[in-house]
Short mmCIF file of all heavy atoms in Angstrom, two decimals:
data_model
loop_
_atom_site.label_atom_id
_atom_site.label_comp_id
_atom_site.label_asym_id
_atom_site.label_seq_id
_atom_site.Cartn_x
_atom_site.Cartn_y
_atom_site.Cartn_z
N THR A 63 88.50 213.54 218.92
CA THR A 63 87.39 213.05 218.10
C THR A 63 87.86 212.02 217.09
O THR A 63 87.18 211.01 216.85
CB THR A 63 86.69 214.22 217.39
OG1 THR A 63 86.20 215.15 218.36
CG2 THR A 63 85.52 213.73 216.55
N PHE A 64 89.03 212.25 216.50
CA PHE A 64 89.58 211.26 215.57
C PHE A 64 89.85 209.92 216.28
O PHE A 64 89.60 208.85 215.72
CB PHE A 64 90.87 211.78 214.93
CG PHE A 64 90.65 212.72 213.79
CD1 PHE A 64 91.28 213.95 213.76
CD2 PHE A 64 89.81 212.39 212.74
CE1 PHE A 64 91.09 214.83 212.70
CE2 PHE A 64 89.61 213.26 211.67
CZ PHE A 64 90.25 214.49 211.66
N ILE A 65 90.37 209.99 217.49
CA ILE A 65 90.62 208.77 218.26
C ILE A 65 89.31 208.05 218.55
O ILE A 65 89.19 206.83 218.39
CB ILE A 65 91.37 209.10 219.56
CG1 ILE A 65 92.79 209.55 219.25
CG2 ILE A 65 91.39 207.90 220.51
CD1 ILE A 65 93.53 210.14 220.43
N PHE A 66 88.31 208.80 218.99
CA PHE A 66 86.98 208.25 219.25
C PHE A 66 86.42 207.57 217.99
O PHE A 66 85.93 206.44 218.04
CB PHE A 66 86.06 209.36 219.73
CG PHE A 66 84.60 209.07 219.56
CD1 PHE A 66 83.95 208.20 220.42
CD2 PHE A 66 83.87 209.66 218.53
CE1 PHE A 66 82.60 207.93 220.26
CE2 PHE A 66 82.52 209.40 218.37
CZ PHE A 66 81.88 208.52 219.24
N LEU A 67 86.50 208.25 216.85
CA LEU A 67 85.95 207.71 215.61
C LEU A 67 86.69 206.47 215.16
O LEU A 67 86.08 205.49 214.71
CB LEU A 67 86.02 208.78 214.51
CG LEU A 67 85.00 209.90 214.57
CD1 LEU A 67 85.30 210.94 213.50
CD2 LEU A 67 83.59 209.37 214.39
N SER A 68 88.01 206.51 215.25
CA SER A 68 88.81 205.36 214.83
C SER A 68 88.44 204.13 215.64
O SER A 68 88.23 203.04 215.09
CB SER A 68 90.30 205.67 215.00
OG SER A 68 91.08 204.58 214.59
N SER A 69 88.33 204.29 216.95
CA SER A 69 87.95 203.17 217.82
C SER A 69 86.52 202.70 217.52
O SER A 69 86.25 201.50 217.45
CB SER A 69 88.07 203.59 219.28
OG SER A 69 87.64 202.56 220.13
N PHE A 70 85.62 203.66 217.32
CA PHE A 70 84.24 203.32 217.00
C PHE A 70 84.17 202.42 215.77
O PHE A 70 83.51 201.37 215.78
CB PHE A 70 83.43 204.61 216.77
CG PHE A 70 82.01 204.37 216.34
CD1 PHE A 70 80.98 204.30 217.27
CD2 PHE A 70 81.69 204.22 215.00
CE1 PHE A 70 79.67 204.08 216.87
CE2 PHE A 70 80.39 204.01 214.58
CZ PHE A 70 79.38 203.93 215.52
N VAL A 71 84.83 202.83 214.70
CA VAL A 71 84.75 202.08 213.45
C VAL A 71 85.44 200.72 213.57
O VAL A 71 84.95 199.71 213.05
CB VAL A 71 85.35 202.90 212.29
CG1 VAL A 71 85.53 202.05 211.04
CG2 VAL A 71 84.43 204.07 211.98
N LEU A 72 86.57 200.67 214.25
CA LEU A 72 87.26 199.39 214.42
C LEU A 72 86.37 198.37 215.13
O LEU A 72 86.21 197.24 214.65
CB LEU A 72 88.56 199.59 215.21
CG LEU A 72 89.74 200.21 214.46
CD1 LEU A 72 90.91 200.42 215.40
CD2 LEU A 72 90.15 199.33 213.29
N PHE A 73 85.81 198.75 216.25
CA PHE A 73 84.98 197.81 216.99
C PHE A 73 83.64 197.56 216.29
O PHE A 73 83.10 196.45 216.36
CB PHE A 73 84.77 198.29 218.43
CG PHE A 73 85.97 198.08 219.29
CD1 PHE A 73 86.89 199.09 219.49
CD2 PHE A 73 86.20 196.84 219.89
CE1 PHE A 73 88.02 198.88 220.28
CE2 PHE A 73 87.32 196.63 220.68
CZ PHE A 73 88.24 197.65 220.88
N TYR A 74 83.12 198.56 215.62
CA TYR A 74 81.88 198.40 214.86
C TYR A 74 82.07 197.38 213.75
O TYR A 74 81.20 196.52 213.50
CB TYR A 74 81.45 199.75 214.30
CG TYR A 74 80.18 199.70 213.47
CD1 TYR A 74 78.93 199.65 214.08
CD2 TYR A 74 80.23 199.74 212.07
CE1 TYR A 74 77.77 199.62 213.33
CE2 TYR A 74 79.08 199.71 211.31
CZ TYR A 74 77.85 199.66 211.94
OH TYR A 74 76.69 199.62 211.18
N ASN A 75 83.21 197.45 213.05
CA ASN A 75 83.46 196.57 211.91
C ASN A 75 83.98 195.20 212.30
O ASN A 75 83.73 194.21 211.61
CB ASN A 75 84.46 197.23 210.96
CG ASN A 75 83.84 198.37 210.16
OD1 ASN A 75 82.64 198.37 209.90
ND2 ASN A 75 84.65 199.34 209.77
N TYR A 76 84.74 195.12 213.40
CA TYR A 76 85.44 193.87 213.71
C TYR A 76 84.79 193.04 214.82
O TYR A 76 85.04 191.83 214.89
CB TYR A 76 86.89 194.17 214.12
CG TYR A 76 87.82 194.45 212.97
CD1 TYR A 76 88.02 195.75 212.51
CD2 TYR A 76 88.52 193.43 212.33
CE1 TYR A 76 88.88 196.02 211.46
CE2 TYR A 76 89.37 193.68 211.28
CZ TYR A 76 89.55 194.98 210.85
OH TYR A 76 90.39 195.25 209.81
N TYR A 77 84.00 193.65 215.68
CA TYR A 77 83.54 192.91 216.86
C TYR A 77 82.67 191.71 216.49
O TYR A 77 82.73 190.68 217.16
CB TYR A 77 82.76 193.84 217.79
CG TYR A 77 82.41 193.20 219.12
CD1 TYR A 77 83.39 193.01 220.10
CD2 TYR A 77 81.11 192.76 219.38
CE1 TYR A 77 83.08 192.42 221.31
CE2 TYR A 77 80.80 192.17 220.59
CZ TYR A 77 81.78 192.00 221.56
OH TYR A 77 81.47 191.40 222.76
N ALA A 78 81.88 191.82 215.43
CA ALA A 78 80.98 190.73 215.05
C ALA A 78 81.69 189.64 214.24
O ALA A 78 81.10 188.59 213.97
CB ALA A 78 79.79 191.27 214.27
N ARG A 79 82.93 189.86 213.85
CA ARG A 79 83.65 188.88 213.04
C ARG A 79 84.29 187.80 213.92
O ARG A 79 84.69 188.08 215.06
CB ARG A 79 84.75 189.55 212.22
CG ARG A 79 84.26 190.65 211.29
CD ARG A 79 85.42 191.17 210.47
NE ARG A 79 85.05 192.38 209.72
CZ ARG A 79 85.86 193.01 208.89
NH1 ARG A 79 87.10 192.54 208.70
NH2 ARG A 79 85.46 194.09 208.25
N PRO A 80 84.44 186.60 213.38
CA PRO A 80 85.19 185.57 214.12
C PRO A 80 86.63 186.02 214.31
O PRO A 80 87.27 186.53 213.38
CB PRO A 80 85.10 184.35 213.19
CG PRO A 80 83.92 184.61 212.31
CD PRO A 80 83.87 186.10 212.11
N PHE A 81 87.16 185.84 215.50
CA PHE A 81 88.53 186.25 215.80
C PHE A 81 89.47 185.14 215.34
O PHE A 81 89.54 184.06 215.94
CB PHE A 81 88.69 186.49 217.30
CG PHE A 81 90.01 187.12 217.66
CD1 PHE A 81 90.15 188.51 217.67
CD2 PHE A 81 91.11 186.34 217.99
CE1 PHE A 81 91.36 189.10 218.00
CE2 PHE A 81 92.33 186.92 218.31
CZ PHE A 81 92.46 188.30 218.31
N THR A 82 90.18 185.40 214.24
CA THR A 82 91.07 184.41 213.65
C THR A 82 92.45 185.03 213.41
O THR A 82 92.61 186.26 213.42
CB THR A 82 90.52 183.90 212.32
OG1 THR A 82 90.44 185.00 211.39
CG2 THR A 82 89.12 183.28 212.50
N ALA A 83 93.41 184.16 213.15
CA ALA A 83 94.76 184.63 212.84
C ALA A 83 94.76 185.45 211.55
O ALA A 83 95.49 186.44 211.42
CB ALA A 83 95.71 183.45 212.71
N LYS A 84 93.91 185.05 210.60
CA LYS A 84 93.83 185.79 209.34
C LYS A 84 93.30 187.20 209.57
O LYS A 84 93.79 188.16 208.96
CB LYS A 84 92.92 185.04 208.36
CG LYS A 84 92.82 185.71 206.99
CD LYS A 84 91.94 184.91 206.04
CE LYS A 84 91.85 185.60 204.69
NZ LYS A 84 90.98 184.84 203.76
N LEU A 85 92.31 187.34 210.44
CA LEU A 85 91.77 188.66 210.74
C LEU A 85 92.84 189.56 211.33
O LEU A 85 92.99 190.72 210.92
CB LEU A 85 90.59 188.54 211.71
CG LEU A 85 89.91 189.85 212.14
CD1 LEU A 85 88.40 189.65 212.24
CD2 LEU A 85 90.44 190.35 213.47
N VAL A 86 93.61 189.05 212.27
CA VAL A 86 94.66 189.85 212.91
C VAL A 86 95.76 190.20 211.90
O VAL A 86 96.24 191.34 211.85
CB VAL A 86 95.25 189.10 214.12
CG1 VAL A 86 96.43 189.86 214.70
CG2 VAL A 86 94.18 188.86 215.18
N THR A 87 96.14 189.22 211.08
CA THR A 87 97.18 189.46 210.08
C THR A 87 96.76 190.53 209.09
O THR A 87 97.54 191.45 208.77
CB THR A 87 97.51 188.16 209.32
OG1 THR A 87 97.95 187.16 210.25
CG2 THR A 87 98.59 188.39 208.28
N ASN A 88 95.53 190.43 208.59
CA ASN A 88 95.04 191.43 207.63
C ASN A 88 94.93 192.81 208.28
O ASN A 88 95.20 193.83 207.65
CB ASN A 88 93.69 191.00 207.07
CG ASN A 88 93.81 189.87 206.08
OD1 ASN A 88 94.87 189.64 205.50
ND2 ASN A 88 92.72 189.14 205.87
N PHE A 89 94.51 192.83 209.55
CA PHE A 89 94.40 194.09 210.26
C PHE A 89 95.75 194.80 210.32
O PHE A 89 95.86 195.99 209.98
CB PHE A 89 93.88 193.86 211.68
CG PHE A 89 93.91 195.08 212.55
CD1 PHE A 89 92.91 196.04 212.46
CD2 PHE A 89 94.95 195.30 213.45
CE1 PHE A 89 92.94 197.19 213.25
CE2 PHE A 89 94.99 196.43 214.25
CZ PHE A 89 93.98 197.37 214.14
N TYR A 90 96.79 194.09 210.73
CA TYR A 90 98.10 194.71 210.84
C TYR A 90 98.67 195.07 209.47
O TYR A 90 99.36 196.09 209.32
CB TYR A 90 99.06 193.78 211.59
CG TYR A 90 98.88 193.81 213.08
CD1 TYR A 90 98.73 192.64 213.82
CD2 TYR A 90 98.85 195.01 213.77
CE1 TYR A 90 98.56 192.66 215.20
CE2 TYR A 90 98.68 195.06 215.14
CZ TYR A 90 98.53 193.87 215.85
OH TYR A 90 98.36 193.93 217.20
N LYS A 91 98.39 194.25 208.47
CA LYS A 91 98.87 194.56 207.12
C LYS A 91 98.28 195.88 206.62
O LYS A 91 98.99 196.72 206.06
CB LYS A 91 98.48 193.43 206.17
CG LYS A 91 98.91 193.68 204.72
CD LYS A 91 98.46 192.54 203.82
CE LYS A 91 98.82 192.82 202.36
NZ LYS A 91 98.36 191.73 201.46
N ARG A 92 97.00 196.07 206.86
CA ARG A 92 96.34 197.29 206.41
C ARG A 92 96.84 198.51 207.16
O ARG A 92 97.03 199.59 206.58
CB ARG A 92 94.82 197.14 206.56
CG ARG A 92 94.24 196.12 205.59
CD ARG A 92 92.82 195.77 205.94
NE ARG A 92 92.28 194.81 205.00
CZ ARG A 92 91.08 194.25 205.10
NH1 ARG A 92 90.30 194.57 206.12
NH2 ARG A 92 90.66 193.39 204.19
N ARG A 93 97.04 198.36 208.46
CA ARG A 93 97.58 199.49 209.24
C ARG A 93 98.99 199.83 208.77
O ARG A 93 99.38 201.00 208.69
CB ARG A 93 97.61 199.13 210.72
CG ARG A 93 96.47 199.52 211.61
CD ARG A 93 95.18 199.89 210.97
NE ARG A 93 94.48 198.72 210.45
CZ ARG A 93 93.27 198.72 209.95
NH1 ARG A 93 92.60 199.83 209.85
NH2 ARG A 93 92.72 197.62 209.50
N MET A 94 99.79 198.81 208.45
CA MET A 94 101.15 199.05 207.97
C MET A 94 101.14 199.84 206.67
O MET A 94 101.86 200.83 206.50
CB MET A 94 101.88 197.72 207.77
CG MET A 94 103.25 197.84 207.10
SD MET A 94 104.46 198.75 208.09
CE MET A 94 104.80 197.50 209.35
N LEU A 95 100.27 199.42 205.74
CA LEU A 95 100.24 200.06 204.43
C LEU A 95 99.68 201.47 204.49
O LEU A 95 100.25 202.40 203.89
CB LEU A 95 99.39 199.22 203.46
CG LEU A 95 99.98 197.88 203.01
CD1 LEU A 95 98.95 197.11 202.21
CD2 LEU A 95 101.24 198.10 202.19
N TYR A 96 98.58 201.66 205.18
CA TYR A 96 97.83 202.90 205.06
C TYR A 96 98.04 203.89 206.20
O TYR A 96 97.57 205.03 206.13
CB TYR A 96 96.34 202.59 204.91
CG TYR A 96 96.06 201.72 203.71
CD1 TYR A 96 95.53 200.45 203.87
CD2 TYR A 96 96.36 202.16 202.44
CE1 TYR A 96 95.29 199.64 202.77
CE2 TYR A 96 96.13 201.36 201.34
CZ TYR A 96 95.59 200.10 201.50
OH TYR A 96 95.37 199.30 200.42
N ILE A 97 98.72 203.47 207.26
CA ILE A 97 98.98 204.38 208.37
C ILE A 97 100.47 204.55 208.59
O ILE A 97 101.00 205.67 208.58
CB ILE A 97 98.32 203.86 209.68
CG1 ILE A 97 96.82 203.64 209.48
CG2 ILE A 97 98.59 204.85 210.81
CD1 ILE A 97 96.05 204.88 209.12
N ILE A 98 101.19 203.46 208.78
CA ILE A 98 102.60 203.54 209.13
C ILE A 98 103.44 204.04 207.96
O ILE A 98 104.36 204.86 208.15
CB ILE A 98 103.11 202.19 209.66
CG1 ILE A 98 102.36 201.83 210.95
CG2 ILE A 98 104.61 202.23 209.89
CD1 ILE A 98 102.78 200.52 211.57
N VAL A 99 103.16 203.58 206.75
CA VAL A 99 103.93 204.05 205.59
C VAL A 99 103.78 205.56 205.40
O VAL A 99 104.79 206.27 205.29
CB VAL A 99 103.54 203.28 204.31
CG1 VAL A 99 104.15 203.95 203.08
CG2 VAL A 99 104.01 201.83 204.40
N PRO A 100 102.56 206.12 205.36
CA PRO A 100 102.46 207.59 205.28
C PRO A 100 103.11 208.31 206.46
O PRO A 100 103.70 209.38 206.29
CB PRO A 100 100.94 207.83 205.27
CG PRO A 100 100.35 206.58 204.72
CD PRO A 100 101.23 205.47 205.26
N TYR A 101 103.01 207.71 207.65
CA TYR A 101 103.63 208.31 208.83
C TYR A 101 105.14 208.41 208.65
O TYR A 101 105.74 209.46 208.93
CB TYR A 101 103.31 207.46 210.06
CG TYR A 101 104.13 207.79 211.28
CD1 TYR A 101 103.99 209.01 211.93
CD2 TYR A 101 105.06 206.88 211.78
CE1 TYR A 101 104.75 209.32 213.05
CE2 TYR A 101 105.82 207.17 212.89
CZ TYR A 101 105.67 208.39 213.53
OH TYR A 101 106.43 208.69 214.63
N ILE A 102 105.77 207.36 208.16
CA ILE A 102 107.22 207.37 207.95
C ILE A 102 107.58 208.38 206.86
O ILE A 102 108.54 209.16 207.01
CB ILE A 102 107.72 205.96 207.57
CG1 ILE A 102 107.58 205.01 208.76
CG2 ILE A 102 109.17 206.01 207.11
CD1 ILE A 102 107.91 203.56 208.45
N VAL A 103 106.82 208.39 205.77
CA VAL A 103 107.11 209.31 204.66
C VAL A 103 107.05 210.76 205.13
O VAL A 103 107.97 211.55 204.86
CB VAL A 103 106.13 209.07 203.50
CG1 VAL A 103 106.25 210.20 202.46
CG2 VAL A 103 106.38 207.72 202.85
N PHE A 104 105.99 211.13 205.85
CA PHE A 104 105.87 212.52 206.28
C PHE A 104 106.81 212.85 207.43
O PHE A 104 107.24 214.00 207.56
CB PHE A 104 104.42 212.83 206.66
CG PHE A 104 103.61 213.29 205.49
CD1 PHE A 104 102.89 212.40 204.72
CD2 PHE A 104 103.62 214.63 205.11
CE1 PHE A 104 102.17 212.82 203.62
CE2 PHE A 104 102.90 215.07 204.01
CZ PHE A 104 102.17 214.16 203.26
#
Side-chain angles (χ1 to χ4, degrees):
T63 301
F64 279 128
I65 291 169
F66 159 76
L67 284 174
S68 181
S69 177
F70 176 93
V71 169
L72 284 176
F73 284 96
Y74 179 79
N75 286 332
Y76 281 92
Y77 188 75
R79 302 184 190 182
F81 189 88
T82 63
K84 183 179 180 180
L85 180 142
V86 175
T87 301
N88 286 339
F89 172 81
Y90 281 129
K91 178 182 177 181
R92 292 168 179 176
R93 265 18 74 173
M94 173 64 74
L95 290 173
Y96 301 117
I97 304 298
I98 297 180
V99 169
Y101 167 68
I102 293 174
V103 169
F104 272 92

